[in-house]
Amino acid sequence: MDKQYSCFFISPIGAAGSEVNLRANEVYDLLLIPVLSRRNVRYMRGDENASSNHIGMDVIQCVQEADFCIVDVSYPNCNVYYELGLADALKKPVILIKEDEVDAATLPADIASRKYVSYSCTAARIRQSRADIDAFVDHYLQALAAAKAAPASPTEAGMARLEPAEPSAKPAGGKRPCRP
């Protein structure tokens, strides 16, 4: 892959030092950063971008600019649902993740029915969790690379196969090609 892709991590972040913040940092630092760094994917989280004085605008910009998003839906959070909805509306590839202990039945119906990766940051499960997330990231990076390589429209696909005719070339039948 020649292009360096970017990922925006959507998660509850919470106040510095809070339980929510510590859990978000653990997932980000122990699971996502190692996986994304290994694949040379740029990564960012909402609290890392301060390009304006309005976090909502910063997050919208990050979602718009990201090639794909990883969204932790483990715990109900309006901001997470809003940002996931924005990513969906922008047709961004999205990888949903949730903690092993969270029962999928407790998730909103439109999220619970989607594929997601279960994870744990415990010593016993961290390697497997990284491998599971890495498999999804690999799939999305391959899809992004294939989409980039594919023509944007059927017309472009057809045009890409057409070779301009040489002015002196004569097609079968001996007639010259039309000229403007």
Side-chain angles (χ1 to χ4, degrees), residues 8 10-12 54-64 69 71-73 75-90 94 108 110-111 114:
F8 185 62
I10 299 171
S11 149
H54 192 275
I55 192 166
M57 297 307 293
D58 292 339
V59 167
I60 290 169
Q61 180 182 359
C62 288
V63 172
Q64 288 174 326
C69 297
V71 183
D72 191 343
V73 295
Y75 301 97
N77 183 284
C78 295
N79 293 332
V80 169
Y81 298 149
Y82 172 80
E83 294 162 24
L84 172 58
L86 177 61
D88 283 345
L90 294 171
V94 171
D110 58 340
I111 294 173
R114 294 169 69 167

Side-chain angles (χ1 to χ4, degrees), residues 3 13 65 68 86 90 92 102 109 129 143 150 154:
K3 180 185 185 317
I13 295 173
E65 293 176 357
F68 67 100
L86 177 61
L90 294 171
K92 296 288 179 176
V102 174
S129 295

Side-chain angles (χ1 to χ4, degrees), residues 23 25-35 100-101 117-134:
R23 186 175 54 245
N25 290 343
E26 189 175 62
V27 172
Y28 194 49
D29 296 339
L30 298 178
L31 291 178
L32 300 184
I33 290 176
V35 167
D100 284 342
E101 295 81 29
V117 180
S118 289
Y119 71 84
S120 174
C121 290
T122 63
R125 284 261 304 124
I126 197 155
R127 285 188 181 179
Q128 185 60 52
S129 295
R130 280 186 193 146
D132 294 344
I133 292 169
D134 186 61

